[in-house]
Amino acid sequence: MRDLAARLTALDPDAGAALQVIAYFDRLTEARAGLQSIVRGAAVLAGCPARLADEHRRIHLRVHPDGTNAAAPIPTAEQPGRAPSAAADQPGPAPTSATVEQPRPPSDSAAGQVDEAWMSVVVADGALLWLERAGPPGPVDAMILERAAGAARTVLDRTRHHPPPADPALLELLLDPDAAEPSRLKAAARLGLKPDAEVRAVALPDGRARLQSTATPPPDATMRAGIGPAGPIAALPSSYAAARVALRFTAEGTEQDPGPRVVHADHLGGLALLAAATDPGGDPIPDVQALHRTAATAPWALATLDAVAESPSLRTAAGALRVHHSTLQERLSPFDHLLGWDFRTPQGRLRLQLALALHRLTRPPSR
Amino acid sequence: MTIQIGPPPPFDPELAAALDVLGANLPSAVTAEMIQPMRDGALLAVAGEPDLTRDGAFTVTRRTVPGPAGDPGIELLIVAPAGADRALPGLYHIHGGGMILGDNTTGIEVLQDWAAEVPSVIVSVEYRLAPEHPHPAPVEDCYAGLAWTAAHAAELGIDPDRLIVAGASAGGGLSAAVALLARDRGGPALAGQMLLCPMLDDRNDTPSTLQMTGRGVWDRTSNDTGWTALLGSSRGGPDVSPYAAPARATDLAGLPPTFIDVGSAETFRDEDVTYATRIWQSGGQAELHVWPGGFHGFDLLAPQAAISQEARAARLRWLRRLLAG
């Protein structure tokens, strides 16, 4: 009864024992157990010492099969000049499945160092888990390693890389202008916001919302987003309304859909009034129809007009488009006629900017 | 005032994992029909006869000594460190098993672990089990063995000033009961009582008991089975003796220093916490540990778990403070 390893050995390794190993580590993961518990589980189930070394995170754990912690010797030293690369410090993609492989041979095998005969598995970039069994592996050693590594990977992902996602229901409540203020403040507290926090609401194209504050990092810069003005928690519903307006001014940032991927409501000024006056999928005004006609003449036409509208000079626009100045001049020459106005004058440029803005605002809803 | 009873506290993660792997043939609910199959080993497999001498580190003797007046003799299992040259503390052990299971080797490995750290002589009593032998047979057997041990301390190599009673589960309840008997009958002066997740209250109606119904190890049904075996239809009624169910004692003054531990996720949590509290309220000394997420007997089932290691270390520290020297 007391000896898990003996009990597993007595079971059919193909069925009973494997299932129990799976159940053991699944249960640890479910209960959000830490690395100590996972390495201990590996040692206890295998009946031999287990160790985990993660050079980047400076974690060295070693556990005896009776569950007691062993002094973890500093793992095999990297050769001078073979220090972990800078890139390895980035949270790289974790391997999708545990691969059992031989560990690197020890460079200077002092006593207590890693033995190359031990079975090991990659937990994550720079992190290895070993079963310290010199002889032939036990019947479920590979299974123990694989499941323990999976559980350990979950812990590393959880604790090192990502803040836990905010509860969508709490967020919805927080941004709902019709919700009572006390419930919104309670939701804010449960989301970890201090009462005096300065917060922005962020609107995302798929309809989700995020918060941005000193406590929560800004969303991924590559993500298309409308960002509301910063303010107290009480003002979050209006910040979110402004963020959703800002989102309508964003574009994919591609040649077919040129424009900014991230738009701050703070920077819209009077343009925000245009949003209120138009509906997505609504009838385009004649200037936008002209823009569409022009865009249809060449794959690069819309991106070219956008660059011209957004750049302080044609030379800068040519640089942004990575074409020669004279090429740009050549491409633009038929556009006056197609659009029906001269976009090189200050008034014409404003008219082009408005046409581009209205083009984005009147696009049919994307999803 | 009614107490709002919530869901049971979650098990400690490592304990939950071990229970999943080992608990398959460990039923939460033991019923009367299961007593005999469990005694036959059909439900609780024992992995061979353990080596009680631990490769010669201990001497093992069995002695039959007089039982309670008019009753048969009882067997004491005496396990002593080999080659001791002075009187050692005595650990009078009463095994667990819900009043219905076990023998005087049950759980003795735990005491041997203590004796390996704090050299002590273990005396483990073979008492008669319910339901064949209802109250007061078990507790009177235990008391007779204790009285004999105290009277023969010198012969056993025990320092009579350092004799404690110790037991887990039903053995903890019986240990508490013999401590009450020793106090009330002017019996052996005990140096301490070590009550590990003790079974103290036949009423079986505390919030922890209700929370753990059908869950963990030794649930409310099992507890009813054990107490009914011991007390029959008087279980839970007005006339239960404190020597059967120490929670029934109205006076907990004058008891020796007490160690109590229990898991937060077990039937006995509330009755054990209450017992410690009442000892303090009576002016006595008690050390209480409630291990979060521990089920009944967690450190036996999963000795490797971090929390089991801590529970075991806490017991050893108490023994050292009390007995070493």
Side-chain angles (χ1 to χ4, degrees), chain B residues 83-177:
Chain B
D85 55 358
R86 62 199 156 89
L88 296 175
L91 309 176
Y92 185 76
H93 175 238
I94 305 174
H95 71 80
M99 307 288 180
I100 52 180
L101 300 170
D103 61 33
N104 59 8
T105 64
T106 305
I108 197 150
E109 70 277 3
V110 173
L111 276 84
Q112 286 191 277
D113 290 347
W114 302 346
E117 300 287 331
V118 181
S120 310
V121 176
I122 302 161
V123 179
S124 188
V125 60
E126 183 71 24
Y127 58 90
R128 289 170 288 171
L129 296 176
E132 293 84 350
H133 303 283
H135 179 75
V139 70
E140 290 294 352
D141 281 359
C142 292
Y143 185 75
L146 174 68
W148 186 91
T149 299
H152 296 78
E155 185 187 329
L156 296 170
I158 291 174
D159 172 0
D161 292 335
R162 291 187 290 164
L163 175 63
I164 73 165
V165 290
S169 192
L174 288 164
S175 295

Side-chain angles (χ1 to χ4, degrees), chain B:
Chain B
M1 188 183 88
T2 50
I3 297 170
Q4 288 291 322
I5 297 175
F11 292 135
D12 170 85
E14 287 186 79
L15 297 183
L19 188 61
D20 266 12
V21 173
L22 293 176
N25 51 0
L26 197 69
S28 291
V30 174
T31 56
E33 307 78 65
M34 291 157 74
I35 294 174
Q36 199 53 49
M38 289 182 87
R39 286 181 185 169
D40 297 342
L43 289 171
L44 289 167
V46 177
E49 185 71 22
D51 172 23
L52 293 180
T53 76
R54 296 203 176 177
D55 291 330
F58 292 93
T59 62
V60 178
T61 49
R62 294 175 192 269
R63 293 186 63 159
T64 299
V65 305
D71 283 324
I74 48 183
E75 186 199 80
L76 298 182
L77 169 66
I78 301 154
V79 181
D85 55 358
R86 62 199 156 89
L88 296 175
L91 309 176
Y92 185 76
H93 175 238
I94 305 174
H95 71 80
M99 307 288 180
I100 52 180
L101 300 170
D103 61 33
N104 59 8
T105 64
T106 305
I108 197 150
E109 70 277 3
V110 173
L111 276 84
Q112 286 191 277
D113 290 347
W114 302 346
E117 300 287 331
V118 181
S120 310
V121 176
I122 302 161
V123 179
S124 188
V125 60
E126 183 71 24
Y127 58 90
R128 289 170 288 171
L129 296 176
E132 293 84 350
H133 303 283
H135 179 75
V139 70
E140 290 294 352
D141 281 359
C142 292
Y143 185 75
L146 174 68
W148 186 91
T149 299
H152 296 78
E155 185 187 329
L156 296 170
I158 291 174
D159 172 0
D161 292 335
R162 291 187 290 164
L163 175 63
I164 73 165
V165 290
S169 192
L174 288 164
S175 295
V178 298
L180 291 170
L181 278 174
R183 178 195 68 178
D184 297 345
R185 292 179 181 172
L190 294 171
Q193 56 175 342
M194 186 141 200
L195 314 179
L196 310 181
C197 48
M199 174 178 175
L200 298 169
D201 194 341
D202 63 292
R203 289 164 293 195
N204 201 19
D205 60 0
T206 62
S208 56
T209 297
L210 299 171
Q211 280 179 309
M212 297 310 296
T213 303
R215 197 160 174 275
V217 177
W218 196 259
D219 80 339
R220 190 175 188 219
T221 301
S222 307
N223 205 31
D224 180 67
T225 300
W227 282 113
T228 301
L230 187 73
L231 298 171
S233 59
S234 67
R235 183 202 74 75
D239 299 318
V240 172
S241 162
Y243 307 131
R248 301 291 198 125
T250 51
D251 178 12
L252 293 183
L255 291 171
T258 302
F259 181 100
I260 296 178
D261 68 8
V262 70
S264 72
E266 71 165 290
T267 298
F268 296 149
R269 179 194 67 215
D270 293 340
E271 64 199 65
D272 292 359
V273 170
T274 301
Y275 203 69
T277 302
R278 291 185 53 217
I279 288 174
W280 296 318
Q281 288 168 347
S282 304
Q285 193 61 277
E287 174 168 328
L288 171 69
H289 294 268
V290 181
W291 297 103
F295 48 75
H296 186 58
F298 63 91
D299 71 289
L300 290 172
L301 189 80
Q304 304 91 344
I307 202 162
S308 303
Q309 294 182 42
E310 291 201 30
R312 293 182 160 213
R315 294 170 190 161
L316 209 48
R317 285 193 289 267
W318 183 80
L319 285 170
R320 280 210 178 90
R321 289 199 302 275
L322 191 75
L323 299 176

